[in-house]
């Protein structure tokens, strides 16, 4: 084997353990034929102190000496190195060495050539062995020379961080191409790698090939080094909650018809007149593979009529009560059944319409005949609880009558509207509080809420049935404003939940490692609440679920981080263009049904303001530091003003936008963006 020295070929003598080579006595490393100086042996006291120091650090005494591969630059081994093999009484000093003293074992400098130290040669040797696993060190040398520590927290002393052993363990798994499934396991390991997140780069920065500038001020470097590394507790918690609630919702409420249009069901059902009729039930399909819209509203979806008193729905309920006030009991001639209807809905040949005061069964109230009634199976003269006695007599307005819980029935009352068999009771159908007096079979087919205890629609609160959760404090006024944040934990289906989990385990987890669970949870929750509030204003009759506003608030954090680190990035405009393209792609999902762009837009804007206030930042001087402190206060005030404005528009001055729905759904088919029409008979 031959090695080149100063242009001449010098034969290299093979190294035989335990044998001293004669060539080593005539080494020409420095171009002079002389013997090198022997290194002075250390005393027993020094070696004992080094051994004690190594034990105090928790390492075995021979860790640093194992696996050492020494390379020579020009000539075969020197006399000193071979001499240490020949003398058996010489102690192995690597037994007492530690990793922090690697420079003490460096080779002597050459008088003619500037040879690299042994530590540098070892690092070069490791880089040749490790390959792509040491790209992190290349990042340190080419950008900031920053020690990217491993672990969740930054080390107190950067000089004591030595990730080489762990990197070498990673190399074994990366270079072992024979193992099966290695192409899948390596990206998964990188996803959950416990590495410190570089400020301004992160996961999105790595995907878009974002890099630091080559020259950065030392003051900025020190700030980046001092940033804490956090554990993503909030990401793991919110992801677990999303998965658990989605599994429970699908298990309990089932899966609605899957598709992009409407699903129709036709069947023969027993109606009010005692005959079977063909009826049709129309249901909106769910392409997310999850529960129906009615079930999602019952679970806590964002739905404005459950959060405030909607004027249009309130007007429909009042119109229904006005018609019911003029109704009477339609009793069949054979006394086989009776039903509460208007006069035009009662057959004059097959039934008798019992209406006060025209019918002789009309009772008196304060010396005069009652003007409204009768009501099938309810009369103030036979009800014991609550009894109609002075001073708590029932009103003449039947829409204000209570539900009678105890009756006084005799063998025969001679009252036609009491002795008959009632065939219909109130049923709440749809999502707008529509009530019908109908049979139980029809109510079940229409997936409504049948009230066996009531006789009039005015005695039931259909919006309370539709909304579910906790009952309203006042049955006439919905007050479930908690839906603004409850809907953040719901999903429209299994696919919707998987998209959220993918986003949170990548982008949200990456940002939480930089900002911490408290800051990122504040941005996440407040952005979602603001987005849901805007969606409730402009799309009040659509049941929307999911953390869409929160996720776009997190997406705004990436823009803020880019702006805050603009001066230390290489080609920041290119990074901005790539991030903008990703955001536009995500905004396009808001054009699908069940997902609205208003939650996306307002969640993004609120997240943008909150990120300037809560995300950690680096300053480029004293004036820049004061400017960023001032901007924290300014953006906090702007966010509070935005939230207050949306609250006023929702509760005090409701707005009605006819064209807003075109910003949140593109009608690909005729029924793709079907409205929740208030006047529709079937919802």
């Amino acid at each position: 084997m031959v090695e080149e020295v100063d242009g001449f070929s010098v034969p290299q003598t093979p190294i035989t353990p335990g044998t001293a080579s004669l060539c080593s006595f005539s080494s020409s490393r420095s171009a002079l034929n002389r013997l090198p100086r022997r290194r002075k042996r250390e005393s027993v006291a020094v070696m004992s102190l080094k051994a004690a120091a190594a034990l105090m650090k928790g390492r075995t005494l021979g860790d640093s000496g194992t696996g050492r591969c020494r390379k020579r630059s020009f000539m075969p081994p020197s006399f000193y190195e071979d001499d240490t093999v020949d003398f058996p009484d010489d102690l192995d000093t690597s037994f007492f060495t530690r990793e922090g003293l690697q420079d003490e074992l460096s080779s002597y400098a050459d008088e003619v050539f500037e040879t690299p130290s042994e530590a540098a040669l070892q690092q070069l040797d490791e880089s040749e062995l490790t390959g792509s696993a040491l790209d992190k060190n290349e990042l340190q040398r080419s950008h900031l020379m920053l020690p990217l520590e491993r672990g969740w927290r930054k080390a107190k002393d950067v000089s004591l961080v030595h990730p080489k052993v762990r990197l070498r363990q990673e190399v074994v798994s990366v270079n072992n191409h024979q193992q099966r499934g290695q192409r899948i396991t390596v990206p998964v390991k990188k996803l959950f790698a416990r590495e410190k997140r570089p400020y301004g780069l992160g996961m999105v920065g790595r995907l878009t090939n974002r890099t630091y500038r080559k020259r950065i001020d030392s003051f900025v470097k020190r700030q980046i080094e001092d940033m804490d590394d956090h554990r993503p507790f909030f990401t793991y918690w919110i992801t677990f909650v999303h998965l658990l609630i989605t599994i429970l919702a699908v298990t309990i409420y089932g899966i609605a018809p899957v598709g992009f249009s409407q699903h129709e069901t036709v069947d023969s059902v027993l109606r009010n007149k005692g005959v079977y009729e063909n009826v049709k039930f129309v249901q909106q399909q769910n392409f997310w593979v999850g529960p129906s819209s009615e079930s999602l509203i019952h679970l806590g979806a964002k739905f404005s009529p459950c959060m405030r008193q909607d004027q249009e729905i309130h007007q429909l309920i009042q119109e229904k009560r006005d018609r019911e006030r003029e109704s009477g009991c339609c009793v069949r001639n054979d006394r086989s059944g009776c039903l509460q209807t208007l006069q035009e809905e009662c057959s004059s040949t097959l039934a008798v319409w019992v209406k006060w005061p025209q019918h002789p069964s009309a009772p008196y109230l304060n010396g005069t005949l009652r003007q409204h009634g009768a009501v099938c199976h309810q009369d103030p003269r036979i009800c014991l609880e609550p009894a109609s006695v002075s001073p708590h007599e029932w009103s003449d307005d039947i829409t204000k009558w209570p539900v009678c819980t105890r009756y006084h029935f005799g063998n025969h009352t001679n009252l036609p509207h009491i002795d008959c068999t009632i065939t219909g009771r109130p049923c709440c159908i749809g999502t707008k509080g529509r009530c019908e007096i109908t049979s139980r079979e029809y109510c079940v087919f229409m997936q409504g809420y049948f009230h066996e205890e009531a006789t009039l629609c005015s005695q039931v609160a259909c919006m309370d049935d539709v909304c579910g959760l906790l009952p309203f404090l006042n049955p006439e006024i919905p007050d479930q404003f908690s839906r603004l944040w409850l809907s953040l934990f719901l999903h429209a289906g299994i696919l919707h939940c998987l998209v959220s989990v993918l986003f949170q385990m990548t982008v949200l987890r990456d940002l939480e490692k930089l900002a911490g669970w408290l800051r990122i949870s504040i941005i996440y929750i407040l952005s979602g609440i603001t987005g849901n509030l805007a969606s409730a204003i402009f799309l009040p009759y659509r049941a929307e679920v999911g953390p869409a506003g929160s996720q776009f608030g997190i997406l705004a954090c990436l823009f803020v981080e880019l702006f805050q680190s603009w001066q230390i990035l290489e080609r920041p405009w290119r990074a901005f263009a790539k991030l903008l393209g990703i955001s536009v792609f995500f905004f396009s999902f808001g054009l699908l049904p069940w997902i609205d762009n208003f939650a996306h837009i307002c969640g993004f804007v609120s997240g943008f303001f909150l990120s300037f206030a809560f995300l950690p930042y680096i300053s480029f001087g004293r004036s820049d530091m004061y400017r960023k402190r001032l901007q924290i206060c300014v953006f906090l005030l702007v966010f509070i003003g935005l939230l207050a404005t949306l609250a006023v528009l929702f509760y005090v001055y409701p707005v009605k936008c006819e064209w807003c729905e075109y910003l949140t759904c593109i009608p690909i088919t005729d029924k793709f963006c079907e409205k929740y029409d208030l006047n529709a008979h079937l919802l």
Side-chain angles (χ1 to χ4, degrees):
M1 197 170 181
V2 204
E3 191 171 0
E4 221 174 288
V5 179
D6 294 336
F8 299 98
S9 298
V10 180
Q12 181 175 353
T13 305
I15 302 174
T16 304
T19 306
S21 176
L22 294 176
C23 297
S24 62
F25 291 91
S26 59
S27 176
S28 58
R29 292 181 60 186
S30 58
L32 297 176
N33 293 327
R34 64 177 179 82
L35 295 176
R37 292 178 296 176
R38 178 177 293 184
R39 184 176 179 182
K40 184 179 179 180
R41 296 181 179 178
E42 296 177 340
S43 63
V44 177
V46 174
M47 290 188 291
S48 301
L49 290 176
K50 290 183 178 181
L55 291 175
M56 291 297 292
K57 288 182 174 292
R59 297 191 294 267
T60 58
L61 300 179
D63 283 349
S64 61
T66 57
R68 184 180 298 278
C69 181
R70 301 184 179 182
K71 291 186 62 178
R72 284 89 184 176
S73 301
F74 301 98
M75 285 299 292
S78 64
F79 165 77
Y80 169 72
E81 292 168 343
D82 287 339
D83 190 33
T84 57
V85 180
D86 295 336
F87 294 99
D89 58 341
D90 191 8
L91 293 176
D92 185 11
T93 57
S94 64
F95 180 80
F96 299 98
T97 57
R98 56 190 177 95
E99 294 179 3
L101 301 175
Q102 293 180 0
D103 294 334
E104 296 182 6
L105 298 179
S106 301
S107 59
Y108 294 101
D110 205 317
E111 288 85 1
V112 179
F113 303 101
E114 184 179 356
T115 60
S117 63
E118 188 175 355
L121 292 174
Q122 180 185 359
Q123 185 177 1
L124 178 61
D125 192 13
E126 287 181 358
S127 65
E128 293 175 358
L129 291 174
T130 55
S132 61
L134 292 180
D135 290 342
K136 186 182 70 172
N137 293 334
E138 292 293 332
L139 177 66
Q140 297 174 7
R141 292 195 297 269
S142 60
H143 300 304
L144 272 180
M145 297 298 291
L146 296 176
L148 304 180
E149 301 95 343
R150 293 182 166 268
W152 296 111
R153 296 286 180 182
K154 69 187 182 82
K156 298 297 182 181
D157 188 3
V158 180
S159 62
L160 297 180
V161 179
H162 302 282
K164 294 182 180 179
V165 177
R166 187 173 296 178
L167 286 176
R168 187 173 295 174
Q169 294 173 356
E170 292 177 358
V171 171
V172 175
S173 63
V174 172
N175 291 335
N176 189 8
H177 297 287
Q178 304 299 328
Q179 294 184 4
R180 190 174 181 179
Q182 205 63 12
R183 294 183 178 180
I184 301 176
T185 58
V186 171
V188 173
K189 289 181 179 180
K190 289 183 178 180
L191 176 63
F192 295 95
R194 300 182 178 182
E195 296 183 357
K196 183 176 180 180
R197 184 191 186 278
Y199 184 79
L201 299 182
M203 187 208 66
V204 178
R206 292 195 299 269
L207 292 178
T208 56
N209 298 324
R210 192 185 302 174
T211 57
Y212 286 125
R213 292 183 178 179
K214 295 183 178 180
R215 294 183 180 181
I216 300 179
D217 185 74
S218 59
F219 176 68
V220 178
K221 293 181 183 179
R222 195 179 309 111
Q223 294 180 72
I224 299 178
E225 293 175 7
D226 293 339
M227 283 190 174
D228 292 333
D229 190 22
H230 301 272
R231 227 174 170 180
F233 293 113
F234 178 75
T235 301
Y236 296 150
W237 176 79
I238 196 69
T239 303
F240 171 76
V241 171
H242 283 167
L243 290 173
L244 179 63
I245 293 179
T246 302
I247 293 173
L248 292 177
V250 172
T251 303
I252 297 174
Y253 290 91
I255 297 177
V258 181
F260 294 91
S261 59
Q262 290 184 339
H263 178 75
E264 297 182 356
T265 305
V266 181
D267 198 1
S268 297
V269 179
L270 181 64
R271 293 298 300 273
N272 303 332
K273 298 179 181 180
V275 296
Y276 284 88
E277 300 179 7
N278 289 330
V279 294
K280 180 175 65 174
F281 175 66
V282 181
Q283 185 179 11
Q284 184 71 27
Q285 294 178 343
N286 184 0
F287 69 94
W288 291 113
V289 190
S292 62
S293 59
E294 292 82 2
S295 300
L296 292 175
I297 293 174
H298 210 69
L299 283 169
K302 185 274 305 174
F303 191 58
S304 294
C306 296
M307 302 161 62
R308 66 178 181 186
Q309 187 180 47
D310 189 84
Q311 295 299 326
E312 296 189 13
I313 293 181
H314 182 70
Q315 183 178 356
L316 290 178
I317 294 176
Q318 290 298 325
E319 292 177 358
K320 175 66 178 178
R321 289 185 178 181
D322 293 339
R323 293 194 301 269
E324 190 176 57
R325 188 179 295 110
E326 304 300 328
S327 65
C329 186
C330 183
V331 183
R332 297 192 184 98
N333 293 333
D334 55 358
R335 302 292 179 94
S336 60
C338 56
L339 185 71
Q340 192 76 17
T341 61
L342 296 175
Q343 185 176 7
E344 56 268 18
E345 297 175 358
C346 183
S347 175
S348 58
T349 58
L350 300 177
V352 175
W353 190 56
V354 180
K355 181 69 173 70
W356 298 336
Q358 291 83 6
H359 197 270
S361 63
Y364 285 88
L365 176 64
N366 298 327
T368 59
L369 291 174
R370 289 181 176 269
Q371 301 298 313
H372 300 92
V375 178
C376 297
H377 266 228
Q378 189 169 5
D379 195 291
R381 293 169 290 186
I382 65 171
C383 184
L384 299 180
E385 291 182 3
S388 177
V389 294
S390 180
H392 302 289
E393 292 181 334
W394 290 7
S395 173
D396 186 41
D397 187 359
I398 62 174
T399 60
K400 298 180 181 180
W401 282 11
V403 176
C404 186
T405 58
R406 183 184 172 192
Y407 294 92
H408 175 66
F409 284 111
N411 294 332
H412 202 68
T413 61
N414 293 326
L415 299 175
H417 61 283
I418 298 296
D419 296 337
C420 63
T421 302
I422 190 169
T423 59
R425 292 186 180 272
C427 175
C428 298
I429 302 174
T431 60
K432 307 301 180 298
R434 181 168 60 91
C435 180
E436 291 185 14
I437 304 294
T438 184
S439 63
R440 179 186 292 273
E441 291 80 3
Y442 179 77
C443 186
V444 172
F445 177 76
M446 298 298 293
Q447 299 183 9
Y449 301 92
F450 189 75
H451 291 270
E452 184 71 34
E453 77 285 354
T455 56
L456 297 172
C457 283
S458 56
Q459 295 174 345
V460 299
C462 286
M463 288 307 302
D464 207 349
D465 294 333
V466 171
C467 298
L469 298 180
L470 297 177
F472 302 146
L473 296 179
N474 184 354
E476 303 293 331
I477 303 176
D479 53 4
Q480 296 178 354
F481 58 88
S482 58
R483 292 175 178 268
L484 291 175
W485 57 83
L486 288 180
S487 59
L488 301 179
F489 302 95
L490 299 174
H491 288 85
I494 299 175
L495 298 180
H496 192 193
C497 182
L498 293 179
V499 172
S500 296
V501 170
L502 178 62
F503 180 88
Q504 289 166 181
M505 292 303 296
T506 53
V507 180
L508 180 61
R509 177 178 175 271
D510 183 66
L511 279 173
E512 189 179 355
K513 292 173 66 177
L514 173 69
W517 71 269
L518 181 59
R519 298 171 184 241
I520 212 69
S521 61
I522 291 174
I523 298 174
Y524 188 92
I525 298 297
L526 292 182
S527 299
I529 291 175
T530 309
N532 284 339
L533 187 56
S535 176
I537 293 173
F538 298 105
L539 298 173
Y541 305 116
R542 289 198 178 185
E544 305 289 349
V545 293
S550 301
Q551 293 169 358
F552 274 79
I554 297 300
L555 189 62
C557 294
L558 299 177
F559 282 90
V560 174
E561 184 190 14
L562 175 62
F563 296 152
Q564 299 279 33
S565 59
W566 191 274
Q567 302 182 32
I568 64 174
L569 295 179
E570 190 76 22
R571 296 187 295 271
W573 281 107
R574 179 180 297 182
F576 175 76
K578 292 179 179 179
L579 189 58
L580 185 62
I582 295 174
S583 303
V584 172
F585 174 75
F586 286 148
F587 271 107
S588 62
F589 281 100
L591 300 177
L592 298 175
W594 301 64
I595 304 176
D596 59 285
N597 264 335
F598 290 101
H600 292 174
I601 295 172
C602 289
F604 184 87
V605 173
S606 59
F608 188 81
F609 295 152
L610 291 170
S611 299
F612 275 107
F614 290 101
L615 277 186
Y617 61 89
I618 56 175
S619 58
F620 301 92
R622 186 173 298 273
S623 60
D624 184 64
M625 180 178 62
Y626 289 139
R627 180 181 63 84
K628 289 182 177 177
R629 289 180 180 177
L630 178 62
Q631 109 184 340
I632 291 176
C633 302
V634 171
F635 281 108
L636 274 179
L637 293 176
V638 171
F639 170 75
I640 294 174
L642 173 64
L643 187 62
T645 302
L646 293 177
V648 170
L649 290 178
F650 182 70
Y651 285 106
V652 182
Y653 299 104
V655 295
K656 186 176 181 180
C657 183
E658 298 291 344
W659 53 270
C660 289
E661 60 184 16
Y662 297 105
L663 296 177
T664 188
C665 187
I666 296 179
I668 300 176
T669 62
D670 295 338
K671 305 292 184 179
F672 189 73
C673 299
E674 186 70 20
K675 298 181 187 178
Y676 292 124
D677 190 3
L678 293 177
N679 298 322
H681 183 66
L682 300 176
L683 297 177

